[in-house]
Amino acid sequence: MQRRNLLFAAVFAIAMAYLEAAVVVNLRKLYGITDIMASLSSFDAQISRIEIGREAATLVMLWALGWIAGKKLQSRIGFFIFAFGVWDIFYYIWLRIFIGWPHSLLDWDLLFLIPLPWLGPILSPVLIALIMAIIGVQLVVSEARGIAIQPKTAEWLLLVSGILAMLYAFMADALALQHLNLEMLGKLRPSSFQWPVFLAGFILSVASCGKFLAAVKSDDKAGGRITT
């Protein structure tokens, strides 16, 4: 049953990515944006607020999907991050199909607006999305097998530290601005991406997730509760 639900969650995420990419293509056509990193000034305050609301709505939709598809909190989180990962990856696949962009995974993009604008090469969110999809599947499948994954405090601290480091790498340019408001979206331009900070955070996050994945694999046949 849960494997089938994962398939439908993937279908939903891929369709949702199509819709998201279509909206972005339409906005680019409407405002004459060819290079989003050089044309952000076309966005006004009203559009910025609407875009922030659209991103918040996207998160709500993905969480609602996870809540409906999952039975307990573990699988609900699993469906949420699985769908999030699939959606993020296929968003760029659809953009590539629609407009031939991105040209490479190293192209820069305005990734997110909440709580501040995220900027970075497309490769960075794609790496995160891949890990999210893998971990999401594991959470769902483990719960279906009667395995409750409960990481220790050390693993949580490792994961949170990694996430914070990656968030800083994405939002470093926005944090450097003296005045944080909607008008900064038109003024914000990327500098150099902080790959060392991002990769350090990514490795910390993968390491924390890898510990409980290894525990699940070793005790897969036994079932029961796993504390990594």
Side-chain angles (χ1 to χ4, degrees):
M1 177 67 72
Q2 293 297 63
R3 293 179 186 273
R4 187 189 66 179
N5 286 346
L6 282 170
L7 175 61
F8 283 116
V11 171
F12 176 89
I14 293 170
M16 187 173 172
Y18 182 102
L19 179 63
E20 183 96 356
V23 170
V24 170
V25 171
N26 290 336
L27 284 173
R28 288 191 176 197
K29 295 288 185 180
L30 180 64
Y31 286 92
I33 298 173
T34 55
D35 183 349
I36 194 169
M37 289 293 96
S39 307
L40 289 178
S41 57
S42 298
F43 283 85
D44 57 28
Q46 181 184 23
I47 295 298
S48 298
R49 286 191 291 268
I50 292 173
E51 281 297 289
I52 291 172
R54 180 171 66 88
E55 290 183 351
T58 298
L59 295 177
V60 172
M61 292 169 66
L62 291 171
W63 176 251
L65 169 68
W67 194 264
I68 294 171
K71 294 182 178 180
K72 298 180 181 178
L73 182 60
Q74 178 174 307
S75 61
R76 285 169 174 166
I77 293 174
F79 276 111
F80 168 68
I81 63 175
F82 168 74
F84 195 111
V86 174
W87 160 71
D88 205 13
I89 292 170
F90 273 87
Y91 167 71
Y92 288 110
I93 292 176
W94 286 124
L95 283 178
R96 176 70 179 181
I97 294 172
F98 292 160
I99 58 176
W101 185 89
H103 305 294
S104 79
L105 289 175
L106 296 180
D107 285 352
W108 279 68
D109 191 18
L110 177 61
L111 305 172
F112 214 58
L113 297 174
I114 302 174
L116 296 173
W118 303 21
L119 295 169
I122 292 169
L123 176 61
S124 52
V126 168
L127 288 174
I128 296 173
L130 285 172
I131 295 300
M132 290 177 69
I134 293 171
I135 298 300
V137 170
Q138 188 62 66
L139 289 174
V140 171
V141 173
S142 296
E143 182 183 281
R145 294 173 178 170
I147 301 173
I149 301 174
Q150 295 183 336
K152 293 181 180 178
T153 302
E155 279 71 62
W156 278 119
L157 290 175
L158 203 65
L159 179 61
V160 171
S161 298
I163 292 174
L164 290 176
M166 290 187 290
L167 287 176
Y168 176 78
F170 288 133
M171 295 187 286
D173 289 318
L175 290 170
L177 293 177
Q178 294 182 351
H179 303 289
L180 301 179
N181 52 49
L182 289 175
E183 293 182 1
M184 73 181 179
L185 185 60
K187 302 176 182 178
L188 190 60
R189 295 295 182 270
S191 57
S192 58
F193 189 64
Q194 300 192 23
W195 278 111
V197 176
F198 172 81
L199 290 176
F202 183 75
I203 291 171
L204 286 175
S205 300
V206 171
S208 65
C209 295
K211 291 198 67 175
F212 68 74
L213 286 181
V216 170
K217 185 176 180 180
S218 62
D219 294 285
D220 191 20
K221 295 182 180 180
R225 175 168 297 181
I226 292 179
T227 303
T228 62

